[in-house]
Amino acid sequence: MELRGEFNVPMVLMTTVGSGIHGSIYHSHSIESIATHLPGWKVVYPCTPLDAYGLMISSLKEPNPVMFLECKALLRTKGKERIPGEPEDDKILRDMIDAPLGDRTHWKPRWPELTDFAVPIGKGKLCREGSHATVVSYGRTLPLCVEAADALASEGIRYDVIDLRSLMPFDWEMIAASIRKTGRVLFVNEDTEITNFGEHLLRRAIEEFFYEVQVAPRLLAGKHVPGIGMAPTLEDASVPQGKDILSAMRELAAERPDRRSAPECASAPARGRVHGGVALARGPAQESPRSIDPCSSFLQSPPVSLRPVPSATAFRSTAPSSAPSMRSRRFAAATPTPWIGS
């Protein structure tokens, strides 16, 4: 029988990732950039007990393979949100599920009756709402972003804090709506900055909102080092910590736009345009490239009084005795035709 992708693979692969436990070079890796490169896999990365519970339920129901990433540093943390059906009193819960010391022959846990609950794969969560800037994160750095946002709120700076929860697929609609609202975005994670998953988000933000953002989008990630040291000082210097995130978020919100907006560019008298990365003067005034406004490249007509360099075809139209060599013909055909002002 020939198989053509007509069967499901309902498998969940769960593994721990990330730093925060002083696990040194072998036990502090972040592999989400590798995981999101695997075709057909869905990747989830919760940072709260409730999200972990809900995403695990969705992963078990998912017909496709799911990679369930657990943050080592958050495994022993207690969430503020209760799982539906969980007792409000922690002592009651311990008496129900914690095994006693000594003889456990006749002991059985009494699991609470949980209600139906699931977190959809591919849906992010807005943890804080603001209008000045946006920060997008997941895993260990997400709670640090929330703490930084709360600290900045006392200074009058309010952030949209987005927890991705799912990395493949990810909730781009939520990210895009927040960028349109705030005009500033910072992506934060602890993976190394080279081939970082946040770089994909950064690239997409630049491509889709180049003319809408107030300042350049930013990425705060781990240092490009072979591994994370075991010593707390080395680990703190290798991956973003709370103070680093707070500083980056404060700088992003305080940055002043250093370029004019599109309406200002449209109303300003342009003297030239940029063509292929080279500033070309137009009209009688031959200005230097530094004095030419790059905004005019998208708002003005093509430069006037330009003539192309003669191509290989023009050479062949001259007398045969003066024709260039075969090597020069191949070079002229392979070289893009430049423009020279008359």
Side-chain angles (χ1 to χ4, degrees):
M1 181 179 66
E2 184 179 0
L3 300 179
R4 303 177 179 177
E6 298 176 354
F7 62 96
N8 298 324
V9 185
M11 178 181 70
V12 179
L13 175 61
M14 184 169 63
T15 183
T16 55
V17 293
S19 65
I21 62 168
H22 312 305
S24 187
I25 187 173
Y26 300 110
H27 302 286
S28 301
H29 290 295
S30 297
I31 63 169
E32 63 267 22
S33 61
I34 301 175
T36 52
H37 285 160
L38 301 176
W41 281 77
K42 296 188 176 182
V43 183
V44 299
Y45 201 158
C47 69
T48 67
L50 181 63
D51 286 341
Y53 173 76
L55 284 171
M56 178 55 74
I57 297 298
S58 296
S59 299
L60 294 173
K61 296 178 179 179
E62 174 64 37
N64 298 300
V66 179
M67 189 172 297
F68 194 98
L69 304 181
E70 290 184 306
C71 179
K72 298 188 186 80
L74 301 178
L75 286 179
R76 296 177 179 87
T77 59
K78 181 176 177 59
K80 298 180 180 179
E81 303 168 305
R82 295 278 180 175
I83 296 176
E86 179 183 359
E88 294 292 337
D89 191 339
D90 293 339
K91 184 178 182 304
I92 297 177
L93 181 63
R94 287 195 299 269
D95 293 340
M96 294 175 63
I97 64 176
D98 286 356
L101 298 176
D103 185 15
R104 307 178 187 178
T105 304
H106 303 289
W107 178 84
K108 292 183 178 180
R110 296 177 291 113
W111 299 107
E113 295 183 4
L114 303 179
T115 59
D116 188 21
F117 177 79
V119 174
I121 297 177
K123 295 296 181 181
K125 179 171 64 175
L126 186 62
C127 302
R128 295 291 186 273
E129 188 171 2
S131 58
H132 293 101
T134 301
V135 60
V136 182
S137 186
Y138 52 86
R140 184 188 68 87
T141 54
L142 191 279
L144 301 178
C145 291
V146 173
E147 293 178 4
D150 292 340
L152 292 175
S154 62
E155 304 176 13
I157 303 174
R158 302 196 176 278
Y159 261 82
D160 264 3
V161 181
I162 297 178
D163 180 6
L164 279 183
R165 301 194 294 188
S166 297
L167 305 186
M168 189 58 63
F170 55 89
D171 195 346
W172 181 251
E173 293 182 359
M174 176 177 288
I175 298 174
S178 181
I179 295 177
R180 290 190 184 97
K181 179 178 68 173
T182 65
R184 302 166 187 257
V185 61
L186 170 68
F187 300 99
V188 181
N189 63 62
E190 62 177 351
D191 196 6
T192 54
E193 58 187 356
I194 305 299
T195 65
N196 188 291
F197 177 73
E199 289 182 324
H200 169 68
L201 303 176
L202 184 72
R203 188 267 305 168
R204 188 164 179 181
I206 293 174
E207 287 186 351
E208 296 190 17
F209 302 103
F210 185 83
Y211 298 106
E212 298 182 41
V213 293
Q214 300 179 24
V215 297
R218 298 185 181 186
L219 169 66
L220 177 62
K223 300 296 190 298
H224 183 48
V225 294
I228 297 176
M230 178 177 290
T233 52
L234 295 178
E235 184 177 78
D236 292 348
S238 301
V239 293
Q241 304 299 322
K243 57 182 178 60
D244 305 317
I245 297 174
L246 177 62
S247 177
M249 292 173 62
R250 180 181 285 116
E251 290 178 2
L252 177 67
E255 183 178 354
R256 297 174 61 90
D258 58 357
R259 63 176 178 81
R260 291 179 297 174
S261 62
E264 291 174 332
C265 292
S267 60
R271 301 296 304 177
R273 72 188 288 267
V274 176
H275 180 78
V278 180
L280 302 175
R282 58 179 297 146
Q286 301 294 325
E287 301 179 0
S288 63
R290 292 185 178 181
S291 63
I292 297 175
D293 185 4
C295 297
S296 62
S297 63
F298 303 97
L299 302 173
Q300 304 298 326
S301 58
V304 297
S305 302
L306 300 178
R307 57 182 176 83
V309 172
S311 62
T313 304
F315 281 120
R316 287 194 292 271
S317 64
T318 59
S321 59
S322 61
S325 64
M326 183 64 67
R327 179 180 179 182
S328 63
R329 290 182 180 179
R330 288 198 301 266
F331 177 78
T335 305
T337 302
W339 291 88
I340 302 176
S342 59

